[in-house]
């Protein structure tokens, strides 16, 4: 792929919208999401976060510019779709020369997954609280359930608690 087109496509990937299939959660751009993941990576892993970890945080969803954002509930219900989408996104990242995740060590991939999930949880919790607990509760609970399956540190568990505690989200199962 020509380098200029490749660069334009990489920038275009930030415009993909998340939560488009969730009627009770406002859309979020991939650019906003990936920046949030990178911030969490820096906050939770600091000096341990390699250049590749930060680059992966800033680019991990860029393949969605070709594939689209397939909602997490769909990928969770149909593992075959999850694997196919993962492969298509991997190929798209390779074409963009942005597949930093492929060079991460297993523990770094777990750190990326944790930060990815915690950013989604933070975003939906913020919306849930903003609407007085009227909108986004089901989506927020799905993020909490996913976070509960991850090997979170004490600091990360506290982050989850603070996200959901604000203004009284009571379905916390940490």
């Amino acid at each position: 792929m020509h380098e200029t087109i490749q660069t334009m496509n990489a920038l275009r990937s930030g415009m993909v919208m998340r939560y488009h299939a969730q009627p009770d959660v406002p859309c979020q751009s991939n650019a906003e999401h990936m920046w949030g993941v990178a911030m969490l990576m820096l906050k939770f892993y600091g000096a341990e976060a390699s250049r590749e970890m930060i680059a992966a945080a800033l680019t991990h969803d860029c393949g969605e510019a070709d594939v689209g954002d397939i909602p997490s509930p769909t990928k969770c219900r149909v593992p075959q779709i999850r694997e196919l989408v993962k492969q298509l996104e991997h190929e798209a990242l390779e074409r963009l020369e942005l597949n930093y995740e492929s060079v991460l060590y297993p523990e770094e991939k777990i750190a990326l997954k944790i930060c990815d999930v915690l950013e989604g949880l933070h975003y939906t919790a913020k919306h849930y609280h903003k609407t007085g607990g009227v909108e986004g509760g089901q989506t927020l609970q799905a993020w909490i359930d996913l976070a509960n399956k991850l090997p979170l540190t004490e600091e990360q568990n506290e982050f989850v608690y603070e996200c959901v505690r604000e203004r009284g989200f009571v379905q916390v199962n940490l």
Side-chain angles (χ1 to χ4, degrees):
M1 180 184 304
H2 188 268
E3 193 171 319
T4 301
I5 300 298
Q6 190 178 45
T7 301
M8 291 168 60
N9 282 337
L11 291 171
R12 180 176 157 267
S13 69
M15 293 181 251
V16 172
M17 300 308 286
R18 297 166 49 84
Y19 302 107
H20 58 84
Q22 302 296 324
D24 59 347
V25 178
C27 288
Q28 175 191 37
S29 74
N30 265 358
E32 180 183 9
H33 166 67
M34 292 184 291
W35 178 84
V37 173
M39 288 298 104
L40 292 175
M41 187 73 73
L42 288 169
K43 294 306 285 180
F44 290 133
Y45 299 96
E48 297 171 27
S50 66
R51 177 190 182 282
E52 289 78 13
M53 288 172 73
I54 301 302
L58 288 168
T59 61
H60 72 279
D61 282 337
C62 286
E64 291 180 0
D66 282 357
V67 180
D69 179 45
I70 308 301
S72 290
T74 302
K75 292 188 278 189
C76 288
R77 278 195 295 274
V78 187
Q80 300 89 340
I81 288 177
R82 179 180 47 235
E83 291 308 311
L84 178 59
V85 168
K86 186 187 286 187
Q87 179 61 35
L88 293 171
E89 289 176 359
H90 172 81
E91 291 169 4
L93 285 170
E94 288 291 328
R95 284 191 299 279
L96 292 171
E97 296 181 11
L98 293 174
N99 196 5
Y100 293 98
E101 191 172 352
S102 68
V103 300
L104 297 181
Y105 293 109
E107 62 274 8
E108 292 174 327
K109 288 181 182 183
I110 292 168
L112 178 61
K113 180 66 173 176
I114 288 169
C115 292
D116 189 31
V117 168
L118 295 185
E119 193 288 327
L121 189 150
H122 176 263
Y123 180 80
T124 56
K126 184 174 61 171
H127 177 69
Y128 178 83
H129 298 309
K130 189 182 208 179
T131 64
V134 175
E135 296 180 2
Q138 186 176 10
T139 304
L140 176 55
Q141 188 63 56
W143 283 117
I144 292 168
D145 293 345
L146 190 51
N148 282 331
K149 296 176 183 174
L150 297 171
L152 302 182
T153 65
E154 185 175 326
E155 182 183 12
Q156 292 161 345
N157 273 313
E158 183 178 325
F159 177 81
V160 170
Y161 179 76
E162 289 300 320
C163 286
V164 298
R165 174 181 86 82
E166 186 179 338
R167 296 193 194 104
F169 187 78
V170 294
Q171 296 179 358
V172 180
N173 299 314
L174 299 177

